[in-house]
Structure formats: C-alpha cells, structure tokens
C-alpha cells in the first residue's frame, strides 16, 4: 500500500501530466475515488495541471431516491425489523429518517453485510427486511444470499442499481461536457473492463479503470489524459491487479439468476431505463415489494420531494461543487445533514466537509 502512496512517484506522474499542457474535464463515478482525490490533495494539484475532475453519481446511498427511503420508513413503521448499512440511517426524507423511526421505537438494525442481516433474522421473532443498496459491488452478495434460501422471515427491498448503462445515459444527456471517464475499480472487478467498450466505440469516450490509492488515481488520470491528447477513445485498465476483461463471471451469473433489469429513478436523474435490479419472480418470497405490497402501495401513490434547497442532484450530475451549495457547512453539516450527500461517507458533500473545510 505504501508503494502506492510514494510521493516521489506522484511528483513524477504530476510532472508528466503538466507536460501535456492540458485543459480537460473528466468524470469519475465512485465515492472512494472522490475520497482519495480530496483526502490526499490530488484534486487541487490536478486542477492546477488543467484537469478538472467531476464526481458523478457514484455514491450508492446518495442516488437512492426519497421514494426508496420512504419505503424503508414505512416498513419500519409497520413493525418490521429493518436492517441497513450505517450510511442509510440518517438519510433524511419528507417524513423523517430511519434514525427518527428508531428513536420513535422502530426496530432498525445496523449491519455490516447482508450475511449479518440473515444471522439476525435467524435469531429474532419478527419479519426482517434488508435494504439492499449499492451497485455491482453489493448486488452479488444480495443475489448469492437469495440463492442460498435465507429464512422465511427475511426479505430484501432491492434498491440496487447498475453503473454502465447509467453512464451511457449521462453521456447521451450531454449536460456535462466530458473529455473522458475514470471508471470505478470496485464495480469493474465484477463487470470486467469489456463492459465499458460500448462507451468508447459508440460515443467516442476515452476511459480508464482506476484503483483507489493515490498513485492508482494519478496513473489512471495520466493514462486518460494521454488518450485525450492523442485523440484516442478506448478502455484502458490501470487496475490490472484486481480487474480482468471478463470480470467476476460467478458474481455476474448470480446477479442474472436473481435479478432482472428494470427502469429506476436515480436521485438527481429521471428514470434511467434498465439500470435497476428487480428481484425475479422465482425469488419473490424474499422480495419485500411483493411480500409487503399492502404496506408499500400507499407510498407508491405519493410523490416525495427532494429536501428544500438541497442541491444533491446537481452534485451527483457533476454540475455543482458541494461547497457551492448555499446550505453547505451552514444549514447542512454531517451532524445536521439536509441531503444524502452530507450523510454517506462516499457523498461529495461529506468528503468536502471532512477534508477541505
Ligand atoms: S451541502 Fe447539503 S443541502 Fe447542499 S447539496 Fe450537499 S447535502 Fe444537499
């Protein structure tokens, strides 16, 4: 790990980047990439070197919609035990947060993995719903859990999403004029690098898959800048120690068995066709939306607004820097978050507040 934080090597790569005389705008879609860029001060050095790095919709908790938060709240309020990753606890919605429901006596449990949730379900005398949030990084473990036939009192509210098609829609929208994409390392371990080829072939987007250490990021960005400078558009992989062209075939097969693609709204985006993961009917015994339709149907009839004044949508589209939100650091802080980008450890606003404020 320390080799991947070597200052001398970082200086050399920065020198090479500066020698390219750049004025480019690139995007990544990964909260951990943003953390590395801000925590190690890379983002300012890159800006000075003519590389404007934007953060896209790469924080899974942040892109989860108010409707999905309200579904979780409704289940907890109806007396179900709700198991969540910690980052979900304080995400505010119109009628409160899971923390609010917990303080009102709701049974909300924090878990580190879906396996923990299954173990809990085995030891409680209540129905448990696991809120399945995340991209290709966490969806395989949800899939393999359902394939292993968890207990009858266990179910999943699938809020899983997939990244590659969301990128296509982002590129097609043309809202953020991009010269290239840094692809997320964790997601790519599962999808493989081949998955992104359509973006270079059909849209002429240069791409590099990068890991999470400072030198991973700098090297990935240098490779991307070199492509842009040469007028090339291809997928390069600077994270070969973890990502293969085909990805994790077993994980892909498990996902394909348990989930089918569906249209889903992302926070800050409209409905993005085919980017959601719905539990297939063969596994509907564990699908909270089927099992608890009576509880959730009234929620589905409503519309839920984004928190007043919150600019998370703009941040997630890479159109606004978190610090430029008028509420940043004043009305909205990690102890009193207005939107999910100030709740999740992977949220752009949390990262900005933690390291640069
Ligand atoms: S600073 Fe707070 S209110 Fe503003 S975009 Fe971020 S989370 Fe939303």
């Amino acid at each position: 790990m320390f080799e991947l934080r070597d200052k001398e090597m970082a200086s050399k790569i920065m020198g090479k980047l500066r020698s390219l005389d750049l004025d480019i705008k690139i995007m990544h879609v990964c909260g951990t990439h943003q953390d590395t860029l801000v925590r190690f001060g890379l983002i300012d050095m890159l800006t000075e070197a003519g590389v404007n790095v934007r953060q896209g919709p790469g924080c899974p908790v942040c892109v989860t919609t108010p409707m999905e938060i309200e579904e979780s709240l409704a289940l907890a309020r109806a007396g179900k035990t709700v198991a969540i990753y910690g980052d979900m606890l304080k995400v505010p919605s119109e009628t409160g947060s899971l923390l609010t429901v917990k303080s009102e006596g709701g049974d909300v449990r924090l878990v580190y993995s879906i396996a923990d949730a299954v173990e809990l379900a085995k030891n409680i005398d209540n129905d448990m719903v696991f809120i399945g949030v995340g991209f290709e990084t966490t969806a395989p473990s949800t899939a393999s859990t359902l394939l292993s036939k968890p207990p009858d009192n266990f179910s999943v509210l699938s809020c899983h999403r997939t990244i590659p098609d969301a990128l296509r829609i982002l590129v097609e929208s043309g809202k953020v004029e991009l010269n290239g994409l840094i692809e997320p390392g964790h997601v790519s371990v599962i999808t493989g690098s081949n998955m992104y080829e359509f973006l270079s072939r059909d849209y002429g987007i240069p791409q590099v898959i990068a890991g999470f250490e400072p030198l991973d990021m700098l090297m990935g960005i240098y490779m991307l800048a070199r492509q842009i400078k040469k007028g090339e558009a291809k997928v390069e992989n600077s994270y070969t120690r973890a990502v293969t062209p085909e990805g994790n075939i077993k994980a892909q097969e498990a996902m394909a068995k348990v989930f089918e693609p569906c249209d889903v709204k992302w926070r800050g985006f409209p409905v993005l066709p085919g980017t959601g993961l719905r539990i297939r009917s063969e596994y509907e015994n564990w699908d909270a939306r089927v099992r608890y339709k009576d509880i959730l149907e009234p929620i589905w009839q409503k519309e839920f607004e984004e928190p007043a004044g919150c600019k998370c949508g703009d941040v997630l589209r890479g159109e606004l820097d978190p610090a430029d939100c008028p509420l940043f650091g004043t009305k909205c802080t990690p102890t009193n978050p207005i939107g999910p980008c100030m709740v999740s450890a992977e949220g752009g606003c949390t990262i900005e507040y933690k390291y640069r404020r």
Side-chain angles (χ1 to χ4, degrees):
M1 182 192 281
F2 293 113
E3 280 172 18
L4 293 167
R5 296 182 179 183
D6 184 86
K7 277 188 189 170
E8 244 177 66
M9 183 56 76
S11 298
K12 276 186 192 162
I13 301 173
M14 281 308 303
K16 278 182 166 282
L17 265 168
R18 285 190 197 98
S19 73
L20 291 177
D21 190 22
L22 298 162
D23 181 13
I24 58 174
K25 191 194 269 190
I26 63 174
M27 180 179 273
H28 68 81
V29 279
C30 175
T32 316
H33 278 168
Q34 184 68 8
D35 188 275
T36 300
L37 286 167
V38 179
R39 177 148 60 116
F40 292 97
L42 305 182
I43 200 148
D44 294 330
M45 292 197 303
L46 288 163
T47 305
E48 279 164 25
V51 185
N52 179 356
V53 190
R54 316 300 305 172
Q55 182 182 12
C59 160
V61 170
C62 306
V63 297
T64 302
T65 57
M67 172 67 80
E68 290 164 320
I69 305 297
E70 292 289 345
E71 286 178 311
S72 316
L73 299 181
L75 291 165
R77 284 179 178 135
K80 310 300 168 198
T81 299
V82 168
I84 48 162
Y85 296 130
D87 270 8
M88 287 289 287
L89 187 66
K90 284 166 74 179
V91 178
S93 187
E94 231 172 273
T95 71
S97 66
L98 283 163
L99 181 62
T100 322
V101 179
K102 192 173 164 64
S103 65
E104 290 163 1
D107 190 6
V108 179
R109 311 280 185 110
L110 302 190
V111 291
Y112 289 107
S113 68
I114 189 169
D116 289 350
V118 170
E119 277 312 301
L120 266 173
K122 286 179 187 164
N123 292 299
I124 59 169
D125 188 17
N126 193 20
D127 287 352
M128 167 177 282
V129 184
F130 173 74
I131 312 300
V133 169
F135 304 123
E136 286 90 339
T137 37
T138 52
S141 54
T142 301
S144 64
T145 298
L146 297 196
L147 286 169
S148 70
K149 299 197 182 352
D152 284 343
N153 66 336
F154 179 84
S155 63
V156 174
L157 186 83
S158 174
C159 306
H160 290 299
R161 290 168 169 76
T162 52
I163 284 283
D165 269 321
L167 291 175
R168 178 178 56 74
I169 295 161
L170 188 75
V171 167
E172 273 179 355
S173 79
K175 276 210 158 188
V176 185
E177 283 176 23
L178 296 174
N179 300 106
L181 283 168
I182 290 290
E183 302 297 7
H186 292 142
V187 166
S188 307
V189 168
I190 305 297
T191 63
S193 57
N194 291 345
M195 180 61 86
Y196 303 101
E197 277 181 358
F198 72 98
L199 284 167
S200 296
R201 186 187 60 235
D202 302 342
Y203 301 92
I205 302 284
Q207 302 172 80
V208 176
I209 295 164
F212 303 101
E213 288 295 327
L215 290 190
D216 283 327
M217 292 246 51
L218 284 182
M219 197 59 208
I221 289 169
Y222 171 65
M223 287 164 75
L224 189 62
R226 212 172 41 183
Q227 268 197 63
I228 295 166
K229 207 65 190 172
K230 286 183 186 167
E232 293 175 346
K234 58 188 177 186
V235 181
E236 287 183 284
N237 183 6
S238 75
Y239 195 31
T240 49
R241 66 183 186 277
V243 176
T244 61
E246 300 79 22
N248 184 332
I249 305 283
K250 278 195 176 163
Q252 291 166 21
E253 284 172 353
M255 281 171 64
K257 265 189 203 157
V258 170
F259 297 116
E260 58 189 350
C262 66
D263 301 347
V264 69
K265 188 173 161 27
W266 296 45
R267 191 185 295 260
F269 295 82
V271 170
L272 303 186
T275 61
L277 291 176
R278 179 168 47 213
I279 296 171
R280 289 185 186 277
S281 56
E282 297 94 299
Y283 301 91
E284 69 180 21
N285 281 352
W286 294 288
D287 184 347
R289 289 198 179 91
V290 173
R291 194 190 283 199
Y292 305 119
K293 193 174 170 200
D294 55 328
I295 298 169
L296 296 175
E297 211 151 34
I299 303 295
W300 298 335
Q301 310 305 324
K302 296 181 187 165
E303 290 201 2
F304 297 99
E305 300 292 326
E306 298 291 331
C310 176
K311 304 277 184 198
C312 278
D314 298 348
V315 170
L316 290 165
R317 289 190 303 274
E319 293 170 12
L320 184 84
D321 287 326
D324 291 335
C325 168
L327 306 185
F328 178 85
T330 52
K331 285 190 174 160
C332 181
T333 62
T335 43
N336 182 32
I338 306 284
C341 297
M342 192 59 100
V343 177
S344 171
E346 295 187 64
C349 302
T350 310
I351 293 168
E352 187 73 16
Y353 192 91
K354 192 167 157 192
Y355 299 119
R356 292 223 291 189
R357 194 181 141 73

